[in-house]
Amino acid sequence: MTTQLPRQSSDPTDLPAWQALQDHAGEMQALHLRDLIGQPRRYRQFCAETEQFVLDYSRQRMTGKTLELLLDLARDRALEQWVDALFSGAPVNTTENQPALHTALRSRPGDDQPVSEPLHVDGEDVRAVVSKERSRMLRLAARIRAGDYTGVTGAPVTDVVNIGIGGSDLGLVMATEALRPFCTRKIASHFVSNIDGTQLADVLEKLDPSTTLFIICSKSFTTLETRLNAESARAWLLRDLPEEAVGKHFMAVSVNAAAMDAFGIGADNRFMMWDWVGGRYSMWSSIGLILAIAIGPEQFQALLQGACELDEHFRTAAPEDNLPVLLGLVGVWNRNFLGMNSHVVLPYDQRLHRFPAFLQQLEMESLGKGVTRDGKPAGYTTGTVIWGEPGSNAQHSFFQLLHQGTSRFSADFIAPVQASSEYADQHQAGLANMLAQAEALALGQSEDDVPAHKVYPGNHPSSILLFKMLDPRTLGYLVALYEQAVFVRSVIWGVNPFDQWGVELGKTMARGMQQALSSTGEAPGIIEKIKAWRRP
Ligand code: F6P
């Protein structure tokens, strides 16, 4: 284990493997996926499998040589050493001089005792602190589920409202939707993130303050959206209940103890976050409280267990069999060498309908960087526009552009084999559609056979990610798989995937705009219009 960062040149394009990939990409332009897919052993060669997952990347525009060169590139970028640095708590978040230890949040999830091998950050044993805080959070979740935790009137909780945004919201919404069959029917989960107040209004409209519990999730506790929503929720609660209700009906998860004090969050109702966990990597921490209440402590541990298994696989499997390494490298190939501008994520299970939105933050906030770790402009493309919707809805919406439009994209199809509802035949129809779409995107339909408007150019690369069934363990594995694939790409591109300075400028400017909107004086341009139309 190392706590040093591996040495890495800032520019991967100087490496022989990069240049060889560039030449090879030129050769590959002449090949169509039709030429590759029918080859014997194609599936065997471009398929990686673990006990839990299958990654079929046989419909990528790759040959054995492509794979070999990508693996060379990973080696030359010191991927193995970076993985070691990530897990061992080295300061991989270089602009903030911090480790990124989300993996410690899910290591040994079933064990509440501090583990024998400590992992120190700033003199503190991270594993021991995580384990203690997790047990406290899960005990509270169990009490709430059992009706033992009551509000100020003595009534048990029937509704939990998570107030948070970005990483303090997206993973929780996604997982709660994905794991609906595992959620208790006795307590409903609600999510409020957006600034404009409509989401809050719509949620509160249905609720009874005496049986409602709010969880303020905010690593910083300074995020404007969360603060406004939390203050409005507090005012709503106190319309019917006495001041002491705040201490019973609000919980919080944050690194900011002073702000939790100021809001009136009691010691038993607050959970710590740590600077060494990035917001978008935090659903494994007490930020997951609403999910732990919904699915229960055992299933929450199963979610962590799945993620822990993926981490173990990532750390130990050979690169050519390693799912996150392959997923990451395929992404680099498509982005940098085949010029794919966007990546579409297509879960063939409606329960995963928020997975593309979750991945948007994970990937675009992590990899949307134009400057390398040593502060130089990247002279190559990084990051990818991520978008998507569940199939088969997506087929009846934007697949026309995928099949016959002029945009360049790659795709991931994601599906459990077993149905997530009682309608197994319908799920099978969905799987058939998924396979057909992957095939149609790859093979297309050539000009010889049909008139021009019926031509499908094909040659669109995609992967299929398959798992047995959607449950907490596989969901943990799936999320961790994408997290680690993001890390792989960050290493190739030499960017820091754990900061997000690009979101700050707009926040600062919004403060000025707020002042301009509230001031009585004359305002320029569209601000004047807003002020005029706001008057009754
Ligand atoms: O503005 C982006 C961001 O900082 C995300 O990275 C983060 O997940 C989100 O805001 C919410 O931040 P917090 O948990 O501190 O409220």
Side-chain angles (χ1 to χ4, degrees), residues 163-170 216-227 253-255 273 278-282 287 361 365 498-500 502-504 507:
I163 300 179
I165 194 164
S168 299
D169 169 71
L170 285 164
I216 307 173
C217 274
S218 179
K219 181 179 168 183
S220 60
F221 221 99
T222 58
T223 304
L224 182 64
E225 289 86 343
T226 302
R227 290 195 67 99
V253 189
S254 181
V255 294
M273 267 277 278
R280 54 193 174 274
Y281 297 88
S282 67
I287 289 282
Q361 188 201 11
E365 211 172 68
F498 301 117
D499 64 6
Q500 57 283 322
V503 301
E504 295 305 322
K507 288 185 195 171

Side-chain angles (χ1 to χ4, degrees), residues 60-94:
Q60 293 294 338
R61 286 167 53 186
M62 295 171 66
T63 62
K65 183 172 172 192
T66 326
L67 184 57
E68 222 172 90
L69 291 173
L70 286 168
L71 292 169
D72 287 349
L73 180 65
R75 197 199 45 236
D76 293 351
R77 292 300 273 164
L79 178 61
E80 206 179 305
Q81 290 86 328
W82 276 97
V83 172
D84 197 19
L86 173 73
F87 280 87
S88 59
V92 289
N93 179 353
T94 33

